[in-house]
Amino acid sequence: MDIINALLDEIYEGLFPVAARERLLSHIRAARDTAKLPRKARWDEKDVVLISYADQFREPDQPTLASFSHFYQQHLQSTFNLVHLLPFFPYSSDDGFSVIDYHQVNPVCGNWQHIAALHSETRLMFDFVCNHMSAHSQWFQHFLAQDPGWDDFFISMPPATDLSAVTRPRTSPLLTPFTLANGETRFIWTTFSADQIDLNFANPEVLIRMVDVLLDYLNKGADYVRLDAVGYMWKTPGTNCIHLPKTHQLVKLFRAVADEVAPGTVIITETNVPHKDNISYFGNGQDEAQMVYQFSLPPLVLHAIHSGSARALRQWASTLNTRHGGTTFFNFLASHDGIGLNPARGILSEVEIVALVRELALEGALVSYKNNPDGTTSPYEINVTYLDALNQQNDDDDTRLRRFLLAHAILLAFPGVPAIYIQSILGSRNDNEGVRAAGHNRAINREKFSLHEMEKWISGDNALRQQVFERLSALIQLRTRQPAFHPDNPMTLLESENALLMLRRYSPDSEAGLLCVFNLSSRDVSAHLPEAKYFQDVISGEKIDGSEPLRLAAWQFMWLRS
């Protein structure tokens, strides 16, 4: 408790009320004393995460969590040992990220018993939507009704306040007017939308209630906890209001609470920002997030395959500190959101970013924009499935499959815990009809399915889906059998021509390792291996004479063991 007390003093500058402090600590002690679900210590090469909505699959008259559990048991359990369920709480917008009630399961999905049943089959990652909640929530309704004790739960700001320095991830207004019970109009801080009301963590009562949410998730068995949009939690007008010192202290507090109540719980920060800001959430390696989303990887892998050049990807990867000790990366290519472009800025030039955006837009991708402090807008993310992002509309399915598997072979080889989005393992294409129905770009990669139809498709009724599902599942399962891919093992980048990415993964404690070679181009390429000895490709079983040039066909890759 000493760490928690010290952080409360830092965050609230010694002004956290005594009675409120004791109430908070008593809640933490009670949760610690009743905690009964053990967590896995750290991570290893067997850990691969599936990212999915709880209502991804549907059957008549069935809670969607029951349908998801069925599909997971039958088709996914041998491939993924951890499931990230995107927010499964009652919500009013943004496909779950505008939470109405943090403590309830959306009735469409089921109830906490369905969560417990799924948790008996796999480890789970919960979303902690800690920056904002729904305008339809009881908390905000108490605020609007001017009920006693709720006045400072959200951030009111005079509309004339100079907020030009605030970092904006959207083009929507930062302040949204709401009418209180007495007829007064208040302008409320809404970073993401008018339906997503930012919480005021400067109020100790907000902190207590949000820690209670975290404690509830820990008690319900969350093995990983994802802190959504965490970089915006603390607001100080006159600053950029992102990554502020008190935001980092709040993350440290959440980490300390999890360590106290449920040791082994992994805290993951979701910050779609440039790499140097992203990794700042590692703290000193022991006191903040154990994992950060590797947001630079999706746009850089996409750029590498589109350009046929590993230059930018190799240069960035060579700077990664892969000897973190108590931390590692959460690696992914696709998610429920688009492909973020900010994490590529400073690595790719703006000319390269704009060229990539234009190329993808011509092939059916959508683009979302953000407001800049100078009043201009910039592309913020590309909205597209990763399968379609890698390919042109007139490509044949063999080409689509080869590029797609190449991208995921790179993902699986990088240091960290890999995560695969459900639309990727299912071989989904752009859902343009979903965009028209939902009215927002991100719906392009959030299609929901009939359980019966999907089971038919991956069994052979849809050739591309079947091939993607079977080939990617096999590649992931092969990856989990390679000790060299333990997240803590270092990575070394090797020099090669730009069409090739060559890296080595190995354990410092043994000679066992893998030499991974990827041809990013649409042409055959010869690679000169660094050692003149025999290798075996663990993917195909082919034996390779290292004294001879290695020839790789377009978009071919190998994981070589000596």
Side-chain angles (χ1 to χ4, degrees):
M1 292 290 193
D2 290 345
I3 295 174
I4 294 171
N5 273 309
L7 286 166
L8 289 174
D9 288 338
E10 285 184 45
I11 296 167
Y12 296 94
E13 300 173 3
L15 299 177
F16 202 89
V18 174
R21 182 189 298 257
E22 183 48 43
R23 187 153 40 96
L24 175 62
L25 296 179
S26 69
H27 293 182
I28 295 170
R29 284 192 290 265
R32 179 192 61 197
D33 294 342
T34 57
K36 54 186 179 297
L37 296 171
R39 269 72 173 173
K40 177 178 178 176
R42 301 282 291 275
W43 39 74
D44 57 36
E45 67 278 4
K46 296 179 175 58
D47 292 328
V48 184
V49 180
L50 174 72
I51 305 168
S52 179
Y53 285 100
D55 63 347
Q56 189 61 60
F57 303 108
R58 301 187 177 186
E59 298 174 277
D61 304 318
Q62 283 289 322
T64 60
L65 276 165
S67 302
F68 178 86
S69 292
H70 170 85
F71 192 86
Y72 176 79
Q73 288 180 37
Q74 296 297 314
H75 305 288
L76 299 168
Q77 194 166 30
S78 59
T79 305
F80 301 97
N81 65 356
L82 199 148
V83 173
H84 171 201
L85 282 179
L86 291 156
F88 49 82
F89 318 106
Y91 71 95
S92 54
S93 63
D94 199 18
D95 287 331
F97 285 90
S98 185
V99 178
I100 292 175
D101 188 337
Y102 290 111
H103 297 282
Q104 298 297 321
V105 176
N106 186 343
V108 171
C109 300
N111 54 41
W112 284 111
Q113 285 70 40
H114 291 100
I115 296 292
L118 181 59
H119 193 245
S120 70
E121 301 159 5
T122 182
R123 291 179 294 149
L124 292 178
M125 174 171 162
F126 287 12
D127 262 293
F128 185 16
V129 186
C130 52
N131 177 72
H132 52 263
M133 68 186 310
S134 170
H136 296 77
S137 65
Q138 282 297 309
W139 293 15
F140 193 60
Q141 295 309 305
H142 283 306
F143 170 84
L144 293 179
Q146 297 179 287
D147 292 337
W150 292 89
D151 186 58
D152 287 332
F153 262 68
F154 306 95
I155 302 169
S156 301
M157 195 68 55
T161 306
D162 182 5
L163 300 174
S164 59
V166 175
T167 297
R168 298 294 291 119
R170 299 286 186 274
T171 55
S172 57
L174 178 61
L175 301 179
T176 301
F178 289 91
T179 303
L180 304 186
N182 66 359
E184 177 190 352
T185 297
R186 292 269 191 96
F187 287 79
I188 309 300
W189 201 295
T190 53
T191 296
F192 292 95
S193 80
D195 188 43
Q196 293 168 298
I197 315 298
D198 287 50
L199 290 151
N200 180 18
F201 278 93
N203 180 350
E205 292 299 323
V206 170
L207 179 76
I208 292 172
R209 283 184 176 265
M210 294 305 283
V211 168
D212 283 346
V213 173
L214 176 59
L215 294 175
D216 194 22
Y217 295 171
L218 297 175
N219 181 260
K220 295 294 200 311
D223 297 273
Y224 286 20
V225 176
R226 175 187 183 269
L227 304 183
D228 174 67
V230 68
Y232 300 93
M233 274 198 300
W234 197 276
K235 282 80 172 175
T236 302
T239 73
N240 61 6
C241 295
I242 188 171
H243 316 312
L244 297 183
K246 289 184 186 292
T247 290
H248 282 280
Q249 290 163 359
L250 284 171
V251 176
K252 291 178 182 181
L253 180 65
F254 293 152
R255 163 73 183 272
V257 169
D259 285 349
E260 182 74 24
V261 172
T265 303
V266 174
I267 299 294
I268 303 178
T269 50
E270 187 264 339
T271 51
N272 190 352
V273 294
H275 184 71
K276 65 180 179 60
D277 297 316
N278 193 25
I279 62 175
S280 70
Y281 287 88
F282 282 143
N284 66 13
Q286 301 295 326
D287 65 346
E288 208 164 337
Q290 289 102 327
M291 289 188 194
V292 301
Y293 270 71
Q294 187 61 287
F295 273 106
S296 297
L297 195 60
L300 291 180
V301 170
L302 186 60
H303 172 266
I305 294 176
H306 269 266
S307 65
S309 170
R311 176 193 56 79
L313 178 61
R314 183 193 301 118
Q315 183 177 354
W316 167 76
S318 66
T319 68
L320 295 179
N321 177 10
T322 57
R323 298 175 181 270
H324 301 296
T327 63
T328 195
F329 293 110
F330 188 83
N331 292 329
F332 72 108
L333 294 179
S335 75
H336 63 289
D337 290 338
I339 299 168
L341 297 171
N342 278 356
R345 289 188 160 97
I347 303 168
L348 300 177
S349 70
E350 200 64 23
V351 170
E352 289 174 307
I353 290 173
V354 170
L356 181 63
V357 168
R358 286 175 177 167
E359 184 178 352
L360 267 68
L362 288 172
E363 296 297 333
L366 304 176
V367 184
S368 296
Y369 291 83
K370 68 180 182 72
N371 284 340
N372 298 319
D374 63 2
T376 62
T377 61
S378 298
Y380 174 73
E381 68 178 18
I382 305 169
N383 302 110
V384 61
T385 68
Y386 214 79
L387 181 62
D388 278 341
L390 289 164
N391 295 286
Q392 297 178 340
Q393 292 178 353
N394 61 357
D395 284 332
D396 58 58
D397 284 353
D398 179 64
T399 298
R400 287 191 176 92
L401 182 63
R402 291 165 69 189
R403 288 195 186 118
F404 187 76
L405 291 174
L406 167 64
H408 285 81
I410 295 171
L411 166 72
L412 296 170
F414 263 59
V417 173
I420 309 291
Y421 185 39
I422 188 76
Q423 304 292 348
S424 293
I425 192 75
L426 297 178
S428 293
R429 307 289 302 279
N430 289 340
D431 182 18
N432 294 305
E433 183 179 332
V435 173
R436 287 189 288 271
H440 59 83
N441 288 355
R442 286 178 168 177
I444 201 168
N445 196 22
R446 297 181 177 182
E447 187 175 2
K448 308 298 172 60
F449 304 107
S450 154
L451 176 67
H452 177 67
E453 288 294 317
M454 181 52 68
E455 290 191 316
K456 285 201 309 181
W457 290 340
I458 64 170
S459 297
D461 278 13
N462 183 304
L464 182 59
R465 285 194 188 274
Q466 180 192 31
Q467 282 293 302
V468 167
F469 184 81
E470 292 182 354
R471 297 278 298 276
L472 183 52
S473 295
L475 189 65
I476 294 168
Q477 292 171 26
L478 179 63
R479 189 256 189 205
T480 65
R481 299 193 294 271
Q482 311 306 317
F485 287 143
H486 190 293
D488 291 347
N489 286 345
M491 173 176 69
T492 302
L493 278 297
L494 283 68
E495 290 297 324
S496 62
E497 69 162 279
N498 279 339
L500 294 174
L501 178 69
M502 297 178 64
L503 62 88
R504 191 191 301 277
R505 295 292 308 282
Y506 58 92
S507 170
D509 301 326
S510 75
E511 294 183 0
L514 290 175
L515 176 64
C516 303
V517 187
F518 310 92
N519 179 7
L520 299 164
S521 72
S522 58
R523 58 185 174 85
D524 293 356
V525 176
S526 293
H528 295 279
L529 299 181
E531 297 161 352
K533 57 184 179 183
Y534 284 95
F535 296 86
Q536 183 174 29
D537 179 14
V538 299
I539 298 170
S540 67
E542 180 184 357
K543 290 186 167 51
I544 306 294
D545 182 355
S547 64
E548 300 289 334
L550 175 66
R551 290 196 62 79
L552 290 96
W555 308 301
Q556 187 180 359
F557 55 90
M558 294 182 176
W559 293 341
L560 303 176
R561 179 189 295 129
S562 58

